[in-house]
Amino acid sequence: MAKPNIWIIDTTIFLNILDIPGSNSDRATVLSEFEERINAKDLFFLPFIVLVETGNPIAKLSGNLKYEKAKDFVDQVKSALNGVSPFTALKFPDKEELLQWIDNFPTKSSQGIGFGDYSIIQDWQEQCKLFPGWSVRIWSLDAGLQGYYS
């Protein structure tokens, strides 16, 4: 039996899943693909940087919607942390990892890669090492993050 795929979830995907106005134009497609991947028993990893990046568009919403979407976000993250969600939350990088990432960031930045995307790529590389022989991919609507797979 084939192993399931491992998907590193990008902010663009998580915002669509959470249905955040202004960041959800691909929601129908994302939810359809998400359902297919859940049915295929694929695994979904949620990087810490995605949590940080997702909070910004939520905070820019108006009125009661801001609170409602923030509550949805909290519920999803708690579910991931408690193992009752399709997502598994990835750990925050430790000091040594972060120091290495920071040292490499000027080169990545000169290539047009922001720190958030760079940290997702680092998470992808770590999961590839932890799961050799598995298909590890980044699921993103951002062209700069598409095409990462092992």
Side-chain angles (χ1 to χ4, degrees):
M1 183 168 129
K3 294 177 182 173
N5 292 306
I6 295 173
W7 297 95
I8 308 294
I9 302 294
D10 176 42
T11 308
T12 58
I13 299 301
F14 200 47
L15 289 168
N16 275 278
I17 290 170
L18 292 173
D19 198 17
I20 305 303
S23 302
N24 60 353
S25 60
D26 296 296
R27 188 163 200 270
T29 302
V30 166
L31 289 180
S32 175
E33 290 177 16
F34 192 39
E35 184 176 344
E36 288 174 19
R37 292 171 182 172
I38 288 173
N39 290 335
K41 307 290 188 213
D42 287 354
L43 306 174
F44 305 93
F45 290 167
L46 197 57
F48 182 78
I49 194 67
V50 170
L51 305 181
V52 173
E53 291 178 340
T54 298
N56 294 331
I58 292 172
K60 292 177 183 172
L61 296 173
S62 308
N64 195 42
L65 185 60
K66 183 186 303 192
Y67 181 85
E68 290 173 17
K69 292 301 179 179
K71 182 77 172 94
D72 291 345
F73 168 78
V74 167
D75 291 344
Q76 281 289 336
V77 173
K78 282 184 173 181
S79 292
L81 292 170
N82 291 322
V84 292
S85 159
F87 305 108
T88 299
L90 292 176
K91 68 175 181 60
F92 187 76
D94 65 25
K95 178 182 173 183
E96 295 306 316
E97 288 173 310
L98 196 51
L99 284 169
Q100 184 179 10
W101 294 6
I102 291 294
D103 285 344
N104 292 329
F105 181 62
T107 300
K108 297 302 178 185
S109 177
S110 67
Q111 297 168 350
I113 300 172
F115 193 74
D117 287 356
Y118 178 54
S119 69
I120 290 171
I121 294 166
Q122 294 302 303
D123 284 332
W124 172 77
Q125 289 176 337
E126 181 178 343
Q127 297 311 308
C128 288
K129 289 177 189 171
L130 291 173
F131 295 95
W134 291 59
S135 175
V136 181
R137 302 165 181 235
I138 296 176
W139 186 14
S140 178
L141 301 175
D142 178 354
L145 288 174
Q146 294 175 353
Y148 283 89
Y149 57 89
S150 65

